[in-house]
Amino acid sequence: MKATNEKLVFNTLIKQYLYFGLPTEGIDDKTDFTIHNIKDIHLELPFKSPVYRPNFFSFVFVKDGRGVYTTDDLHFTTEPGTIYFTNPGHYKSHEWFELNEVYLITLSESFLKENVHPDIFEEFPFLLAETVHPRVLGQATFSEFEDIYLQINKEYQSNSRYRARLIGNLFVVLLLKIKEYFWKDYNPIYEGNRSSQIVKNFKRTLEQHYRDLNNGKVHQVFRLQDYADEQNLHPNYLSNVIKTKTGKPISTWITEKTIAEAKSLLQNSSNSIKEIAFLLGFSEANHFSNYFKKHTSITPVSFRKQHGTIAC
């Protein structure tokens, strides 16, 4: 592993593992979803990672292992029966002392939107929580989660033409179980200090705004000033808070959200490219196509054809 004091940013798990000098065999670099037993990755213990910032969701299921992980300035221990998840934008590090069976799932927002639920954050608002504390479950309860993530792993290893959809549907079950056991009394208003609340409000506004765009309630994409106005903040102050707390400027949040929504619409709707462009606030289909290709290296038409939808 390379020695460094800088805080690293990774868009995919495979890039993270390559940087850490860890084996990547069995990790599919052509999808925004991964699952594996990290015992197969960390062959030498103890292992301690540098501080890094992933731009993907992580779910960890510790059946038999011990370690420590940090998210921003919070430190948590992991022991048998621990389940936790982290969302994009936070500084993280982790250390493992024992590893026998610990499964890690990583996935992008795009995968969630395309294969799990188009309104994923509306049904599962806890995914946007600023900080989620781990839970330690008894053996019987943990086994309920184990059955699901092992089935997900089985589908991940398969060559089924329906692999992504099968994984997506199983992941819905997993999220419902998490919601049932962990967040029955989840209160999205209480998230900690003032800066955390600003980030939370920004994320919720971002989600609601894109739902309004998709539903035709609004036709102009929010800019920085609009998000600042929603919280009665100066735009420079909002920018500083978002960048400091999440590591990403607001422009990046907006871009990633636009692309995630575009992919979801291209795959899950019969709207034409022109209609999708209009729904996302683009005045011209060509502008939308150029924007989409710039950020995905593929045109909307090609993306739609690859995902089995023929309307253009």
Side-chain angles (χ1 to χ4, degrees), residues 286-303:
N286 284 342
H287 294 165
F288 166 66
S289 295
N290 291 336
Y291 181 92
F292 189 88
K293 185 174 182 180
K294 175 183 177 181
H295 294 288
T296 66
S297 300
I298 189 173
T299 66
V301 173
S302 297
F303 178 87

Side-chain angles (χ1 to χ4, degrees), residues 142-152 170:
F142 187 91
S143 294
E144 295 182 31
F145 289 90
E146 182 183 16
D147 290 343
I148 302 169
Y149 69 69
L150 289 180
Q151 183 64 37
I152 291 174
L170 287 166

Side-chain angles (χ1 to χ4, degrees), residues 152-210:
I152 291 174
N153 185 57
K154 179 182 177 182
E155 299 301 338
Y156 181 74
Q157 302 298 332
S158 77
N159 294 316
S160 170
R161 60 183 294 188
Y162 303 113
R163 186 179 74 151
R165 290 183 62 189
L166 287 167
I167 290 173
N169 281 282
L170 287 166
F171 202 78
V172 170
V173 178
L174 188 66
L175 288 176
L176 287 170
K177 280 292 181 184
I178 289 174
K179 189 175 184 179
E180 177 184 15
Y181 280 104
F182 291 7
W183 286 278
K184 302 186 269 194
D185 304 317
Y186 172 74
N187 182 355
I189 301 303
Y190 182 73
E191 291 288 352
N193 63 33
R194 170 64 174 152
S195 293
S196 295
Q197 187 60 54
I198 289 172
V199 172
K200 176 63 182 175
N201 288 341
F202 166 71
K203 290 180 178 179
R204 288 197 304 181
T205 301
L206 187 70
E207 281 300 314
Q208 184 60 53
H209 176 58
Y210 275 82

Side-chain angles (χ1 to χ4, degrees), residues 91-279:
Y91 288 113
K92 293 172 53 179
S93 66
H94 58 269
E95 188 170 4
W96 291 107
F97 311 119
E98 299 176 21
L99 271 176
N100 291 305
E101 187 171 330
V102 179
Y103 271 80
L104 167 66
I105 293 176
T106 70
L107 68 168
S108 68
E109 179 179 327
S110 291
F111 187 92
L112 283 168
K113 291 270 187 182
E114 293 165 30
N115 300 291
V116 179
H117 198 298
D119 295 320
I120 185 71
F121 301 122
E122 184 174 6
E123 179 160 358
F124 304 107
F126 56 81
L127 290 173
L128 295 177
E130 184 71 4
T131 301
V132 178
H133 290 243
R135 301 293 175 97
V136 180
L137 305 179
Q139 184 176 353
T141 305
F142 187 91
S143 294
E144 295 182 31
F145 289 90
E146 182 183 16
D147 290 343
I148 302 169
Y149 69 69
L150 289 180
Q151 183 64 37
I152 291 174
N153 185 57
K154 179 182 177 182
E155 299 301 338
Y156 181 74
Q157 302 298 332
S158 77
N159 294 316
S160 170
R161 60 183 294 188
Y162 303 113
R163 186 179 74 151
R165 290 183 62 189
L166 287 167
I167 290 173
N169 281 282
L170 287 166
F171 202 78
V172 170
V173 178
L174 188 66
L175 288 176
L176 287 170
K177 280 292 181 184
I178 289 174
K179 189 175 184 179
E180 177 184 15
Y181 280 104
F182 291 7
W183 286 278
K184 302 186 269 194
D185 304 317
Y186 172 74
N187 182 355
I189 301 303
Y190 182 73
E191 291 288 352
N193 63 33
R194 170 64 174 152
S195 293
S196 295
Q197 187 60 54
I198 289 172
V199 172
K200 176 63 182 175
N201 288 341
F202 166 71
K203 290 180 178 179
R204 288 197 304 181
T205 301
L206 187 70
E207 281 300 314
Q208 184 60 53
H209 176 58
Y210 275 82
R211 284 199 296 272
D212 289 344
L213 281 170
N214 288 341
N215 294 329
K217 293 181 180 179
V218 296
H219 304 292
Q220 295 294 324
V221 174
F222 272 7
R223 303 303 179 193
L224 170 59
Q225 185 66 57
D226 299 304
Y227 288 106
D229 289 344
E230 284 290 312
Q231 300 195 58
N232 297 313
L233 299 173
H234 190 282
N236 289 348
Y237 178 72
L238 177 63
S239 292
N240 289 337
V241 169
I242 299 300
K243 179 67 184 299
T244 300
K245 291 289 291 182
T246 72
K248 296 190 293 187
I250 286 180
S251 59
T252 301
W253 279 100
I254 293 173
T255 296
E256 291 179 352
K257 177 59 63 179
T258 301
I259 294 300
E261 292 294 331
K263 287 181 175 180
S264 180
L265 286 167
L266 287 166
Q267 180 166 330
N268 299 312
S269 79
S270 59
N271 292 331
S272 67
I273 302 297
K274 183 177 180 180
E275 289 169 333
I276 291 173
F278 180 74
L279 284 173

Side-chain angles (χ1 to χ4, degrees), residues 15-145:
K15 289 181 180 178
Q16 175 184 318
Y17 277 13
L18 286 171
Y19 188 93
F20 290 174
L22 298 171
T24 58
E25 184 177 352
I27 297 178
D28 184 354
D29 63 350
K30 296 181 176 62
T31 182
D32 288 336
F33 183 98
T34 70
I35 178 172
H36 61 281
N37 185 352
I38 58 178
K39 174 188 177 181
D40 300 332
I41 301 298
H42 297 292
L43 303 179
E44 295 183 10
L45 297 177
F47 174 86
K48 185 174 183 179
S49 77
V51 176
Y52 63 98
R53 188 173 62 242
N55 284 330
F56 48 82
F57 292 86
S58 297
F59 292 76
V60 180
F61 303 88
V62 184
K63 182 177 182 180
D64 188 2
R66 297 185 184 276
V68 177
Y69 81 95
T70 65
T71 176
D72 295 329
D73 58 348
L74 299 176
H75 301 264
F76 303 104
T77 59
T78 51
E79 60 184 272
T82 299
I83 294 178
Y84 70 89
F85 82 87
T86 59
N87 52 29
H90 297 282
Y91 288 113
K92 293 172 53 179
S93 66
H94 58 269
E95 188 170 4
W96 291 107
F97 311 119
E98 299 176 21
L99 271 176
N100 291 305
E101 187 171 330
V102 179
Y103 271 80
L104 167 66
I105 293 176
T106 70
L107 68 168
S108 68
E109 179 179 327
S110 291
F111 187 92
L112 283 168
K113 291 270 187 182
E114 293 165 30
N115 300 291
V116 179
H117 198 298
D119 295 320
I120 185 71
F121 301 122
E122 184 174 6
E123 179 160 358
F124 304 107
F126 56 81
L127 290 173
L128 295 177
E130 184 71 4
T131 301
V132 178
H133 290 243
R135 301 293 175 97
V136 180
L137 305 179
Q139 184 176 353
T141 305
F142 187 91
S143 294
E144 295 182 31
F145 289 90

